[in-house]
Amino acid sequence: MSNTVSSWVLNSARNSIATLQGGRHLYSRCVSNRNKFKLKLLPSAAVPLKDHYPCGSFALQKAYRHTSTEADDFHLQLSPEQVNEVLRAGESGHKIVDLKGKVANSVLRFESNQLAANSPVEDRRGVASCLQTSGLMFGIFDGHGGHACAQAVSERLFYYVAVSLMSHETLEQMEVAMESMKPLLPIIQWHKHPGDSIYKDITSVHLDHLRVYWQELLDLHMEMGLSIEEALTYSFRRLDSDISLEIQAPLEDEVTRNLSLQVAFSGATACVAHVDGIHLHVANAGDCRAILGVQEDGGMWSCLPLTHDHNAWNQAELSRLKREHPESEDRTIIMDDRLLGVLMPCRAFGDVQLKWSKELQRSVLERGFDTEALNIYQFTPTHYYTPPYLTAEPEVTYHRLRPQDRFLVLASDGLWDMLDNEAVVRLVVEHLAEAGRHKPGVAQRPANLGLMQSLLLERKAKGLHAADQNAATHLIRHAIGSNEYGEMEPERLTAMLTLPEDLARMYRDDITITVVYFNSDSIDAFYKGG
């Protein structure tokens, strides 16, 4: 890495640190030009710097990371191959081959990737097929204050949605199986990256709450189940309620009790897409985002946003918050562009510090939890009068897919902090074009291995990276490696990948992306078939 780039990283980072006080219960007040912390906790008594818990770090390929910000130690240079190794470590992809009747699935394939800034990474992702109903679900879950809530939501939310969509008859079969202690019908099929974090088994508490939910659905006596919009809305609400109730109830198992506390006192935003034929529903709570890449008849590309960020810059959100609280709180409900001066998203799972009364928080935390060991953030905002201030209620958007709708991008705000919607669509289109050029047909295939080797050597001599095979990787590469003019700078990319652990989170957030490609022929066939 050049001295210019390394000096820019170190000097800019050092100048960006406003304060470094507090221990595990306080993030440093770090501000950079391109990123701000999602959660800013309130001041507490100062703790010696040696006890400070780092702002964030990078979980993958730690051998390539610096552990010191001293200029003399900041000299690591990654080769192009090592850069690719880091960028591609979290890649995942799957081709959808199942048929729906005689018509192919409207989803052709999906590609996903994740790059961490926090250690451990706080983002989660999920893709699953509904087995008792139809449809595919794609989810991006952006955690804050720890990874526990994002992990729990990513593992549990799809089950709630799938159960909500079941017919009365299927729910009865589920209940009979539980009563007779027989195996349950399979609910969903996961499509996971081998490195994705998972809980090995759903705990009995989680299954009990899921069962209570489907029992309540049975009591509604709806033959065909909820609509997709209702299913998404009720599932978000219900899971968030269960997360809150699980830690309030007495739990004998210490592991489950500690995990439930971590889930409830951390938080997660969520964006979930459900695709069934030509029907696309997107449920969003927070500041993850979903957009469509659309190719018009003349070949021009455009972007169609499917979500709105729920934050202080969303006037509809500000109006909603003011309606839900007394007029006397109009000036304090949003401070420093954050909810109560603390949280950037205005909707999220967990975060019971912004939902429970002060009395309930005290009663739960006084049960003998080792909050320090569990890394529980305890704080009470200054102007905390009429909770709850935070909701997991999603905003659901419906879109009827058309043949010109080519792909869907879902991503955590780590991507959108770096790239706008139009740039993301442009980069995916460029990736598709580049992938097409580097996928030779029979007529274009090199005649011999010697020619192929010479082409590879020529490319390496020019410092060019091999074409990414994954669109999500291509987006991450450009998000962190492009300058203000949108030009790729290899030195910048290397610098961003090798930032010391105590600086990484100041320059970028965890980035998690899923790109879903639609089958235009299949969608067209849906219309022609009525």
Side-chain angles (χ1 to χ4, degrees):
M1 186 187 309
S2 70
N3 291 332
T4 302
V5 173
S6 60
S7 298
W8 162 71
V9 171
L10 287 174
N11 293 333
S12 179
R14 286 167 175 161
N15 292 336
S16 298
I17 299 177
T19 61
L20 273 174
Q21 63 178 19
R24 291 178 180 268
H25 296 167
L26 183 68
Y27 283 110
S28 60
R29 291 284 303 279
C30 304
V31 179
S32 73
N33 292 332
R34 303 191 70 175
N35 201 1
K36 293 185 179 180
F37 283 142
K38 181 170 291 184
L39 180 66
K40 179 182 72 176
L41 300 185
L42 302 180
S44 59
V47 176
L49 187 60
K50 64 182 178 66
D51 294 329
H52 176 70
Y53 193 71
C55 296
S57 60
F58 176 58
L60 297 175
Q61 304 296 334
K62 291 181 73 70
Y64 300 148
R65 293 297 307 283
H66 297 284
T67 57
S68 169
T69 58
E70 294 302 318
D72 290 343
D73 298 329
F74 199 76
H75 57 267
L76 182 60
Q77 172 70 55
L78 298 186
S79 67
E81 291 78 11
Q82 289 172 320
V83 167
N84 287 337
E85 183 181 351
V86 174
L87 286 175
R88 296 171 181 172
E91 284 186 341
S92 176
H94 187 79
K95 187 174 182 179
I96 308 300
V97 295
D98 60 302
L99 298 177
K100 186 177 180 182
K102 295 183 179 181
V103 181
N105 199 301
S106 58
V107 174
L108 188 64
R109 69 185 190 279
F110 70 85
E111 297 168 350
S112 183
N113 201 355
Q114 181 178 80
L115 183 68
N118 294 289
S119 181
V121 59
E122 293 181 342
D123 281 4
R124 293 294 186 270
R125 55 185 165 173
V127 181
S129 303
C130 299
L131 296 181
Q132 299 306 317
T133 59
S134 56
L136 279 164
M137 291 183 285
F138 303 88
I140 298 292
F141 311 94
D142 186 351
H144 49 264
H147 68 277
C149 188
Q151 178 67 53
V153 174
S154 71
E155 288 290 321
R156 300 175 62 183
L157 182 59
F158 285 2
Y159 284 99
Y160 282 71
V161 176
V163 164
S164 300
L165 294 171
M166 288 181 184
S167 67
H168 191 272
E169 180 182 357
T170 304
L171 290 173
E172 283 185 329
Q173 294 176 14
M174 298 278 289
E175 184 60 23
V176 168
M178 287 291 291
E179 290 177 349
S180 58
M181 301 182 68
K182 293 181 179 179
L184 287 174
L185 294 171
I187 300 175
I188 59 176
Q189 178 184 354
W190 290 103
H191 306 290
K192 284 187 174 289
H193 178 268
D196 285 349
S197 300
I198 58 171
Y199 295 141
K200 292 183 179 178
D201 300 298
I202 185 170
T203 69
S204 59
V205 172
H206 298 167
L207 181 57
D208 287 345
H209 278 140
L210 184 64
R211 183 185 182 187
V212 170
Y213 180 50
W214 81 55
Q215 288 173 337
E216 293 177 6
L217 293 174
L218 278 169
D219 291 340
L220 296 177
H221 298 286
M222 293 185 302
E223 183 177 349
M224 299 307 295
L226 299 173
S227 69
I228 297 175
E229 181 174 353
E230 291 171 332
L232 290 165
T233 300
Y234 292 178
S235 297
F236 272 62
R237 287 181 191 163
R238 185 52 177 259
L239 176 55
D240 191 53
S241 175
D242 285 351
I243 286 171
S244 176
L245 291 173
E246 283 161 7
I247 190 55
Q248 295 179 50
L251 296 170
E252 295 183 2
D253 180 66
E254 183 178 1
V255 173
T256 302
R257 186 170 65 248
N258 289 341
L259 178 60
S260 297
L261 188 76
Q262 289 177 314
V263 170
F265 276 80
S266 58
T269 62
C271 186
V272 172
H274 182 280
V275 186
D276 185 10
I278 60 173
H279 304 293
L280 168 62
H281 290 79
V282 177
N284 184 56
D287 50 10
C288 295
R289 197 179 296 176
I291 62 172
L292 272 178
V294 181
Q295 186 178 29
E296 304 298 344
D297 292 339
M300 294 294 293
W301 286 88
S302 62
C303 169
L304 178 61
L306 297 176
T307 58
H308 300 99
D309 297 347
H310 298 131
N311 54 30
W313 295 277
N314 183 332
Q315 291 301 314
E317 278 297 280
L318 290 179
S319 298
R320 177 186 66 82
L321 286 165
K322 290 180 178 180
R323 286 195 307 269
E324 294 175 355
H325 297 275
E327 188 176 348
S328 59
E329 297 185 61
D330 281 359
R331 294 186 177 182
T332 60
I333 201 162
I334 296 291
M335 297 185 297
D336 297 330
D337 295 326
R338 289 174 166 84
L339 182 64
L340 296 180
V342 174
L343 192 66
M344 295 201 72
C346 297
R347 303 192 192 194
F349 287 88
D351 289 320
V352 294
Q353 306 96 316
L354 300 177
K355 296 174 181 176
W356 289 356
S357 67
K358 297 177 184 178
E359 294 75 21
L360 179 56
Q361 293 184 49
R362 281 196 297 268
S363 67
V364 169
L365 293 173
E366 288 172 356
R367 295 180 188 171
F369 290 103
D370 187 346
T371 55
E372 185 76 15
L374 294 174
N375 204 25
I376 300 299
Y377 298 105
Q378 300 179 62
F379 64 93
T380 302
T382 304
H383 303 283
Y384 195 76
Y385 307 119
T386 56
Y389 290 91
L390 191 66
T391 179
E393 173 97 11
E395 188 174 8
V396 181
T397 302
Y398 170 71
H399 178 77
R400 189 179 179 91
L401 289 171
R402 308 157 298 173
Q404 61 263 41
D405 298 324
R406 300 295 185 175
F407 56 84
L408 170 71
V409 179
L410 300 106
S412 58
D413 69 336
L415 176 68
W416 311 112
D417 287 341
M418 302 290 195
L419 299 172
D420 61 29
N421 295 353
E422 290 72 20
V424 167
V425 169
R426 176 179 55 79
L427 286 166
V428 174
V429 172
E430 288 178 359
H431 164 76
L432 290 173
E434 185 177 10
R437 286 195 298 270
H438 291 278
K439 186 178 181 181
V442 175
Q444 293 85 24
R445 194 166 293 151
N448 56 66
L449 291 177
L451 177 58
M452 185 180 293
Q453 184 178 16
S454 66
L455 291 173
L456 290 172
L457 290 174
E458 179 183 353
R459 188 176 185 87
K460 184 175 181 180
K462 292 180 179 179
L464 301 175
H465 65 271
D468 291 316
Q469 300 301 307
N470 184 302
T473 304
H474 189 68
L475 287 171
I476 292 173
R477 184 187 299 275
H478 283 264
I480 66 173
S482 296
N483 61 23
E484 59 268 32
Y485 304 107
E487 301 166 340
M488 174 60 63
E489 291 185 351
E491 286 187 340
R492 183 187 184 94
L493 178 62
T494 300
M496 293 293 279
L497 290 177
T498 56
L499 282 169
E501 293 186 355
D502 54 347
L503 298 184
R505 184 59 182 87
M506 295 169 58
Y507 281 88
R508 57 181 178 84
D509 198 355
D510 298 331
I511 302 176
T512 303
I513 306 167
T514 296
V515 181
V516 183
Y517 298 98
F518 297 114
N519 187 333
S520 298
D521 293 337
S522 174
I523 293 172
D524 191 44
F526 274 105
Y527 284 98
K528 291 179 178 178

